[in-house]
Structures are given as C-alpha cells and as structure tokens.
Amino acid sequence: MGRGGNMKKRLLGAFIVLFILITSLILGEIPFSITMTVVALLGLKELIDIKYKKRKINIIKILCYLLMILFMINNLILKIDNKVMICISLILLILPVIFYNDKDKYNINDSLYLFGIIYFIGYAFLNIIDMMCISIYKCIYIFVIAFITDTYAYISGMLIGKHRFTDISPKKTIEGCLIGGVMGVFIGSVYYYSLVGDLSLIKTIIMSIVLVFLSEMGDLVFSSIKRYFDKKDYSNIIPGHGGILDRFDSVIFVSLGMLIMINIL
C-alpha cells in the first residue's frame, strides 16, 4: 500500500479513536470510566501477548485481567487501601510459580513483569479518570499534549525530516521531534491557561514542557519494548496505527507525568 493509502488508514484510525473519546467524554463520568477501563485492559492484553502469546498460561492471563478490573473498580468504587491491593496482587501472581514448577513456562521474573504492567497501565488510565472527575478540561489536556505532539512530529518529520533522531524508532527525526515539541508546548499551554487557569502562565508552560518531553520519551520507551520483542506493532486493532499502545503510549506517560506535576506546581 502506498503513502496515500497508509495516510487514509491513519486518518480513519485517528477518527475512530477521537470519536470514541469525545463520545465517552460527552456521555459523562461513568461511560468515560468504562471506556478508559476497556482501553487499559486492551493495553494490558497487548503487553501480555507481546511476551506470552505462545505460552499456555491462560489462567495467569485471566488472573491479570481480573486484577486490572479489580484495581480500577477498587479505586472508583470499593476504596480498599491500595497497599492491600498491591499485597493481594503480588501474592496471587507469585504463588503460581510453585504450582507451575517450570521456569520456562512461568517464573518469578514473569510474575514481577505482570505485576509491573498491571499497575503501570492501571495507574496511568486511572489518573485520566480521576482528572475527568476533577475537571474535564484537565482530562482533555492530557490528550491534547500527547496527540498534538505526536501529530505534528509525525507530519513535520514526514515532510521535512532529514536527520534520524534514534535507532529505536527509525522514522522519527530531529526536525519532527522539535516541531512536535514546540507545537505541543504552545497549544497545550494556551489550552490549559485559557480553559483551566489554575496555574500561572510560567508554571503552565513549565508543565507543558515537561509533559511534552515525557510524551516523546514515552513513545520511544514503548517503541523500544516492541524492538526488544521484535514486533512492528502491538496489535492491529486501530487502522493505520497498530495497537492501543501504539496510539496511547504517549498518553500513558503524560498522564503519569501530570499526576506528578500538579502535586509539585
């Protein structure tokens, strides 16, 4: 398929993602929370499949999905102490090492990997839900930073990019990253200062700079994971983009970064 065909698929994928996000935001907190929980589960599935697709540990996989659902529901409804949730998850993921008794099928490294990705993905999307409950504009800001930075980096890199940024992602260029970063900071800062306005202009710009940096680094981190497992995309669920994590990789890091920044500034 030529560049025109790829661009059409990419635009279709972007439209689908934006339509689902905007619709769930309009419908309110519960539909949006359900949408983000589904996205978190799909992201978790992709990180599980990229490492364990050929391993017959279906019970462990199901356990991971249940733990993710429990984690999301707990923070939204049950309100059990997170320390208790972490202990429960650790015990349930480590104990099967004994029952499998086969290091090639399931071992301690596997249990810690699964524990890590559950809470890594879970906290990122749970924070997006929390932002929605606090302020819909703060929630949208996360997506504005990630999507604007990524979109301008992609377009400018394709049009004028000449210098490769890193071998981790060969298509990324220095020119694309710079323009994407500048536009992400500019549009993100204007958006936040105009519609949220709970920080000074200087603090707003500082936060946007940090989050744009995390957005671009998050993209590279997830690209490096794919390279490590010798995969091109996490899945093919989004036309022209790949998997959930191919589209939401930057969003995950921006969400976690914003949680830090709003408690510092």
Side-chain angles (χ1 to χ4, degrees), residues 115-132:
F115 172 80
I117 61 176
I118 288 171
Y119 282 89
F120 175 50
I121 299 295
Y123 267 115
F125 286 100
L126 186 65
N127 184 55
I128 295 174
I129 295 172
D130 287 342
M131 287 298 160
M132 167 63 173

Side-chain angles (χ1 to χ4, degrees), residues 96-115:
V97 171
I98 301 172
F99 299 105
Y100 276 98
N101 193 28
D102 183 350
K103 65 182 181 64
D104 294 324
K105 182 172 285 190
Y106 189 74
N107 55 60
I108 187 65
N109 290 328
D110 296 323
S111 66
L112 295 178
Y113 171 84
L114 294 171
F115 172 80

Side-chain angles (χ1 to χ4, degrees), residues 213-228:
F213 173 78
L214 289 175
S215 176
E216 295 193 332
M217 293 304 103
D219 193 351
L220 292 175
V221 166
F222 278 93
S223 291
S224 69
I225 295 173
K226 287 189 294 185
R227 300 295 174 266
Y228 179 81

Side-chain angles (χ1 to χ4, degrees), residues 193-204:
Y193 191 71
S194 301
L195 296 178
V196 181
D198 60 351
L199 296 175
S200 68
L201 180 59
I202 297 299
K203 287 184 177 180
T204 299

